[in-house]
Amino acid sequence: SIPLSYFIGIGFAAKRGLLFKGSQSLDALAGIKNVVFDKTGTLTEGSFRVREIKEEPPFDREELLEYVIHLESFSNHPIARSIVEAYKPEAKYSVVQVQEIPGMGIRGVVGKRAVHVGNDDLLHKMGIRHRNEVCKLPGVVHVAVDEKYAGYIELGDALKHQAIDTVKELNKMGIQIYLLTGDSAEEAAKIAGELGIKHFYAGLLPEDKFRILREEVMAKGLTAFIGDGINDAPAIAQADVGIAIGNSSSHAAIETADVVIVDGNPWRVYEAIKIAKLVRRVTL
Ligand code: ADP
Ligand code: MG
């Protein structure tokens, strides 16, 4: 039978928008050794501001933007949604053969042009060459038109303001903290530096997140993974405690998670561990 203190703990957590689906995750959280965070939408707001658009001649800026908005309107990725919200399309192109490439970007035929929008890995995969200096810019999404490099869009994403305190307090508890992201090494290093996270892995595909979680982290002890479910639902399902965060969490993530943070606040991770430890102490 489940001790009464567990019900009290779960009820207390629920009032804070921290939903436990069962009591087992309380036991696991009480003894948690590693906490692994996804970056975009988890530690950062996941709502991007467009900072700059840089076309590569002979491509025209407006034309480039039109292709991008048309294509990204088919994607649910936070980057895509931010671009689509920022601009109104002027042209009317048909968009066909749309394919999202998880952790990399999206492609499709816009009007009569083959358009790719995504990260450096996507360009590599397509064999599209570009000047070396542009691929090292953090927060940049590249555009290719008819398999030619056409320019980039620079986007800024802000840290959630509670992220710094969360990492600080988890560190004090002696928990090992990891950052896993599909974003570039440059962007990952910047965020990890700002938060004081020592272990970080960048340029990851969903299956890489899953593999690193299992082989590099879970092998060292009980592990919680926190993600928004965009490209990380498999990791949420795999972790000892899978936590889905935020109002934009994907359906699959909420379904497989053990714990759901309703309001998107990463500080709830610290609270969850505190509650778990307290409940255990009362019970033992
Ligand atoms: P994270 O692991 O930080 O949450 P993702 O795995 O969701 O990031 O995405 C990794 C990278 O892939 C993004 O930083 C972006 O460069 C690229 N990307 C993914 N989807 C898209 C898209 N729809 N449009 C443009 N770029 C995308
Ligand atoms: Mg994410």
Side-chain angles (χ1 to χ4, degrees):
S1 71
I2 298 167
L4 182 62
S5 62
Y6 279 58
F7 286 105
I8 296 170
I10 289 172
F12 180 74
K15 288 218 184 77
R16 317 181 75 78
L18 189 55
L19 310 180
F20 282 83
K21 291 206 197 146
S23 59
Q24 302 94 317
S25 39
L26 276 176
D27 283 334
L29 276 176
I32 212 82
K33 292 280 177 292
N34 312 301
V35 169
V36 182
F37 289 102
D38 164 55
K39 182 178 74 69
T40 311
T42 300
L43 290 174
T44 70
E45 294 290 350
S47 64
F48 297 78
R49 265 182 334 106
V50 177
R51 292 203 175 125
E52 205 191 342
I53 302 167
K54 196 92 184 78
E55 73 284 0
E56 182 89 356
F59 290 95
D60 170 81
R61 210 185 130 96
E62 304 300 320
E63 180 192 13
L64 196 71
L65 192 55
E66 288 289 343
Y67 293 148
V68 173
I69 326 171
H70 274 81
L71 185 58
E72 290 285 31
S73 67
F74 288 84
S75 171
N76 253 335
H77 197 277
I79 289 179
R81 279 197 259 164
S82 305
I83 295 174
V84 172
E85 272 165 30
Y87 299 98
K88 281 231 171 327
E90 305 255 307
K92 271 211 165 66
Y93 292 119
S94 66
V95 185
V96 293
Q97 294 173 43
V98 178
Q99 188 193 1
E100 248 192 303
I101 307 122
M104 287 193 189
I106 187 167
R107 69 166 170 207
V109 177
V110 183
K112 291 194 162 59
R113 309 289 214 118
V115 180
H116 287 81
V117 184
N119 62 12
D120 204 44
D121 292 334
L122 183 70
L123 295 187
H124 275 289
K125 197 173 124 126
M126 298 306 305
I128 295 162
R129 310 214 307 147
H130 57 73
R131 289 177 293 115
N132 248 336
E133 59 267 26
V134 299
C135 77
K136 295 285 173 248
L137 296 169
V140 152
V141 170
H142 300 283
V143 187
V145 177
D146 289 339
E147 258 103 87
K148 283 191 189 63
Y149 190 73
Y152 64 82
I153 297 178
E154 192 188 333
L155 299 139
D157 188 11
L159 274 181
K160 289 185 184 172
H161 70 267
Q162 312 93 340
I164 292 179
D165 284 342
T166 305
V167 171
K168 203 193 283 171
E169 291 305 315
L170 293 177
N171 260 326
K172 276 194 207 155
M173 288 173 131
I175 288 169
Q176 295 297 311
I177 304 166
Y178 293 79
L179 175 70
L180 302 190
T181 179
D183 208 345
S184 68
E186 289 74 20
E187 188 68 12
K190 198 182 110 196
I191 298 287
E194 280 169 15
L195 292 173
I197 298 178
K198 280 184 291 229
H199 318 284
F200 62 91
Y201 297 83
L204 305 178
L205 297 175
E207 59 266 31
D208 299 328
K209 288 187 183 175
F210 180 89
R211 185 177 47 77
I212 287 171
L213 182 69
R214 197 169 57 192
E215 291 171 14
E216 307 284 330
V217 189
M218 290 176 75
K220 295 187 185 127
L222 276 178
T223 301
F225 181 91
I226 300 97
D228 64 352
I230 310 278
N231 298 339
D232 53 26
I236 291 175
Q238 172 73 22
D240 297 302
V241 182
I243 304 179
I245 189 167
N247 15 42
S248 64
S249 288
S250 77
H251 215 74
I254 292 172
E255 213 130 276
T256 54
D258 303 298
V259 181
V260 178
I261 296 173
V262 178
D263 66 0
N265 183 352
W267 180 251
R268 306 276 176 238
V269 176
Y270 169 74
E271 290 182 335
I273 296 170
K274 273 298 232 207
I275 292 168
K277 285 185 189 289
L278 214 71
V279 163
R280 263 274 278 265
R281 222 170 46 213
V282 171
T283 313
L284 292 178

